[in-house]
Amino acid sequence: MERTFAMIKPDAVRKNVIGEILAMMTQAGFKILGVKMIRITKEQASAFYAVHKERPFYGELVDFMSSGPSVVIALEKDNAVADYRTLIGATDPAEAAEGTIRKRFASSKGENAAHGSDSVENGKIETAFFFSEAEIAANAR
Ligand code: UDP
Ligand code: MG
């Protein structure tokens, strides 16, 4: 079994589609090991997306990610990282495949409804950002 880290971003929470997105995850075979709604601070968003700090969209991304509540989720499945990236679809919803989370719910390349880790290693780092070992261990069985 592999794990990955997911977020339902503030635009999708505002659209009131948390339930639809969680259902897409479970229907695709993911087990939810952890889920909570939190208001990400500017400091957390800056650190979480630090890899993009030289990119022109970084400031806007940090503002967006701290603009309202998000849902942070720890997922488990065989091939979880790649399969969840497939489920969310391309970063730009104009390029996202039919039936993906971003095709259904993203508004733009920036406000794109969902996050998914891009590697197993980053999945561990990103999960640890928002969940303690104990929280995940209590739900993994
Ligand atoms: N982003 C943006 N403009 C861009 C590229 C990315 O606003 O031109 C935002 C978008 O919210 C994206 C996030 O920055 O999800 C991280 O970018 P990345 O290229 O890692 O895309 P992802 O891995 O989320 O598909
Ligand atoms: Mg990325």
Side-chain angles (χ1 to χ4, degrees):
M1 281 294 182
E2 190 171 283
R3 292 181 186 174
T4 192
F5 175 74
M7 286 194 282
I8 301 174
K9 296 185 180 183
D11 59 320
V13 174
R14 277 192 283 273
K15 285 181 182 169
N16 208 22
V17 292
I18 293 172
E20 286 85 340
I21 293 175
L22 291 176
M24 288 174 79
M25 293 173 182
T26 55
Q27 281 159 17
F30 290 91
K31 177 176 174 180
I32 297 173
L33 294 182
V35 56
K36 56 192 172 188
M37 189 188 286
I38 57 165
R39 177 74 179 256
I40 293 173
T41 65
K42 275 200 162 204
E43 291 68 29
Q44 284 175 311
S46 304
F48 187 86
Y49 281 114
V51 65
H52 294 305
K53 65 174 177 290
E54 307 304 336
R55 309 281 291 278
F57 58 82
Y58 180 66
E60 242 178 86
L61 177 60
V62 168
D63 287 345
F64 164 57
M65 289 303 298
S66 56
S67 69
S70 296
V71 178
V72 294
I73 306 154
L75 295 174
E76 186 175 70
K77 184 185 175 297
D78 287 331
N79 202 38
V81 169
D83 285 359
Y84 181 64
R85 292 289 302 198
T86 300
L87 183 65
I88 60 177
T91 308
D92 184 346
E95 289 162 19
E98 284 301 328
T100 61
I101 292 171
R102 284 168 166 167
K103 180 71 175 185
R104 285 184 69 187
F105 300 120
S107 305
S108 66
K109 194 172 183 182
E111 304 205 359
N112 59 3
H115 168 82
S117 304
D118 60 9
S119 68
V120 172
E121 184 56 27
N122 282 336
K124 285 180 188 160
I125 293 166
E126 293 175 359
T127 301
F129 222 93
F130 296 107
F131 292 97
S132 69
E133 291 277 351
E135 277 176 294
I136 300 300
N139 298 329
R141 60 197 160 258

